[in-house]
Amino acid sequence: MESRPLVDRVQSLGDLELAVLLSLVAQEHCLIWTEDELIDALGQELELVDIMNSELANCACTKVFGLSPVVLECSEQTTLDDFSSGILIEDDQIAPSSQRATYYGGQSSYFTNRLSGSHFGSLSRSPLRDSIADSQRIANLVIAKNLNTARPQVQIQALELIRTKRIFTRTSFQSAPQRFVLIALLTKDSMPLCNHLNDHIFISHYHGAEDEFLNLEEAGNGSSSDTNSISSVIHTPRKGVPDLDYEPLLSSMEVDELIDKRKHVRISIEAMQYLQNISVFLRLHRAVAGGVSSHASKHFSLLLKCMAPLHQLEYVTPSLVALAARKIYPHRIEVAKPETERSMQWGSDYNAVTAMLDGLTAESIVEDVLGALEVPL
């Protein structure tokens, strides 16, 4: 049977699947909020978006991108070793040892004694540890639950992973696959991520109780056994080798096609001016204490170029600019407190400022700015 056109398949995706798709096309990473009681179910829902498991082959929504996922439960007790080992999965497709760099030498090791020809660490090299390191790789989709509760050192490790696409473990050096997305899964109104990591997150999305959990329903109606299965610190990862008898809804070639189309999207002068006005008005908003960075502006224009091909467009429209602003800034904006609000420096009444800021959120500030700006024709 002939497959449906790419655009039709994209438009059939749910909101979580679209967030993953935009991250893949932008080659960036995303943040998803939910309620505290839904975070476990949402972690399973995200995992089922990309799961590679033949036992669930009959579930229509479980194989969208053909990625190998892993769920990592973070907390204050999560260590650097927990994070480094928790994002690894077993991989049967192992390259020859001469093509892999580890801390224990090998033909590709940099630490070679040029005089004697021996390798540093050769006396203490363990074949067992080497084979374990060689049989693992970083998962395509890392779902880090409650990453904001982890210690700063762990969050910095996550930042290094998304910036350099590599990570060092005790036994090896691991590079992220070409198709790699880290999803920070957080509860609403919880503490934010550390500043630099938060600024490098591409987009954010809220998935609440009123939204659907289609993948969980099709996989078994979200049974209690499914919910309890991810209560451990690190969810048991699956093999990274895809089911050869199955083709995902969106293949890697089609994602690459969208990446290529994104590079040819045009942003007119009027649309660029609208984008810059949004950034400037957000910076000058009296309820904003920070977060509207230059990195956010870079992600803003990138998201526009990623969204246009999904609508069969080669240019950016004002409606896309407004939609992108709602995904770029909510997780970045730092809402001012009464004592830090700008007008307090010139003698504003504290009670009046408190009343003005009462109930304001990052989302409402973005909507306020979008309502105040004139939309270009």
Side-chain angles (χ1 to χ4, degrees):
M1 184 177 65
E2 186 177 354
S3 61
R4 291 180 296 163
L6 175 59
V7 175
D8 292 344
R9 281 175 283 151
V10 168
Q11 293 178 353
S12 69
L13 299 178
D15 56 344
L16 297 176
E17 295 160 349
L18 281 173
V20 176
L21 176 60
L22 286 171
S23 300
L24 286 171
V25 175
Q27 298 176 312
E28 296 288 348
H29 312 274
C30 66
L31 181 153
I32 296 180
W33 284 305
T34 189
E35 303 301 329
D36 185 57
E37 62 273 11
L38 297 176
I39 191 167
D40 288 342
L42 187 54
Q44 283 186 302
E45 177 76 8
L46 284 167
E47 189 179 17
L48 289 174
V49 166
D50 300 294
I51 206 168
M52 295 302 298
N53 190 336
S54 58
E55 295 177 0
L56 298 175
N58 294 327
C59 299
C61 296
T62 57
K63 295 181 178 179
V64 180
F65 303 107
L67 306 179
S68 51
V70 66
V71 178
L72 177 65
E73 182 78 32
C74 299
S75 67
E76 294 180 355
Q77 287 71 42
T78 302
T79 64
L80 293 175
D81 287 341
D82 291 336
F83 182 84
S84 299
S85 61
I87 64 176
L88 301 179
I89 60 172
E90 297 298 324
D91 188 4
D92 289 343
Q93 294 178 337
I94 305 171
S97 58
S98 61
Q99 299 178 15
R100 295 186 304 274
T102 70
Y103 285 135
Y104 294 95
Q107 296 299 319
S108 60
S109 174
Y110 174 79
F111 301 103
T112 303
N113 189 324
R114 298 180 181 272
L115 297 178
S116 63
S118 61
H119 300 284
F120 289 129
S122 59
L123 296 178
S124 61
R125 180 174 179 174
S126 169
L128 176 60
R129 295 175 66 185
D130 206 21
S131 63
I132 293 175
D134 289 345
S135 65
Q136 292 182 319
R137 68 174 177 85
I138 298 177
N140 296 99
L141 182 70
V142 176
I143 305 167
K145 293 167 55 180
N146 298 312
L147 181 59
N148 56 335
T149 64
R151 291 179 293 179
Q153 296 91 329
V154 176
Q155 297 189 44
I156 292 173
Q157 181 86 312
L159 174 61
E160 283 299 307
L161 174 62
I162 66 177
R163 287 184 67 251
T164 64
K165 297 188 183 298
R166 60 187 181 185
I167 195 169
F168 292 91
T169 68
R170 288 184 179 273
T171 59
S172 66
F173 164 81
Q174 297 286 347
S175 295
Q178 182 177 4
R179 302 172 68 199
F180 170 68
V181 176
L182 184 143
I183 299 178
L185 183 56
L186 313 180
T187 57
K188 191 65 174 175
D189 299 325
S190 60
M191 69 178 73
L193 298 167
C194 67
N195 290 336
H196 293 293
L197 176 58
N198 192 64
D199 195 33
H200 278 77
I201 295 294
F202 180 48
I203 57 175
S204 59
H205 174 71
Y206 175 76
H207 194 89
E210 68 280 2
D211 298 309
E212 297 178 330
F213 291 79
L214 295 178
N215 294 330
L216 273 181
E217 293 173 1
E218 294 190 19
N221 296 322
S223 61
S224 59
S225 61
D226 290 335
T227 304
N228 294 333
S229 67
I230 57 175
S231 59
S232 58
V233 173
I234 298 175
H235 189 71
T236 303
R238 292 177 173 83
K239 293 280 186 177
V241 180
D243 182 356
L244 298 180
D245 296 331
Y246 178 82
E247 290 188 5
L249 183 63
L250 294 174
S251 67
S252 59
M253 292 183 60
E254 290 171 323
V255 173
D256 291 339
E257 179 184 345
L258 291 173
I259 293 175
D260 183 66
K261 288 183 178 180
R262 144 202 130 188
K263 299 175 182 178
H264 298 88
V265 172
R266 303 186 304 274
I267 302 180
S268 65
I269 296 177
E270 292 78 11
M272 181 59 69
Q273 182 181 17
Y274 187 38
L275 180 155
Q276 293 174 348
N277 285 342
I278 292 175
S279 299
V280 172
F281 272 59
L282 283 173
R283 288 193 183 101
L284 297 178
H285 198 285
R286 58 186 300 189
V288 175
V292 188
S293 63
S294 58
H295 207 79
S297 300
K298 175 183 175 182
H299 280 170
F300 199 172
S301 59
L302 176 60
L303 179 57
L304 291 173
K305 294 182 178 182
C306 294
M307 294 171 63
L310 305 186
H311 295 80
Q312 290 184 295
L313 297 175
E314 296 180 353
Y315 55 90
V316 170
T317 64
S319 59
L320 287 181
V321 177
L323 180 58
R326 296 182 175 97
K327 298 300 178 184
I328 289 292
Y329 289 110
H331 69 283
R332 289 183 164 92
I333 291 177
E334 180 184 349
V335 181
K337 298 178 181 179
E339 55 270 18
T340 60
E341 199 271 333
R342 296 188 188 98
S343 66
M344 291 293 294
Q345 302 177 50
W346 297 284
S348 293
D349 182 73
Y350 181 85
N351 294 329
V353 172
T354 302
M356 186 272 296
L357 294 177
D358 185 40
L360 280 181
T361 63
E363 292 83 358
S364 62
I365 292 173
V366 173
E367 294 298 331
D368 185 26
V369 168
L370 292 176
L373 285 172
E374 181 180 355
V375 181
L377 298 177

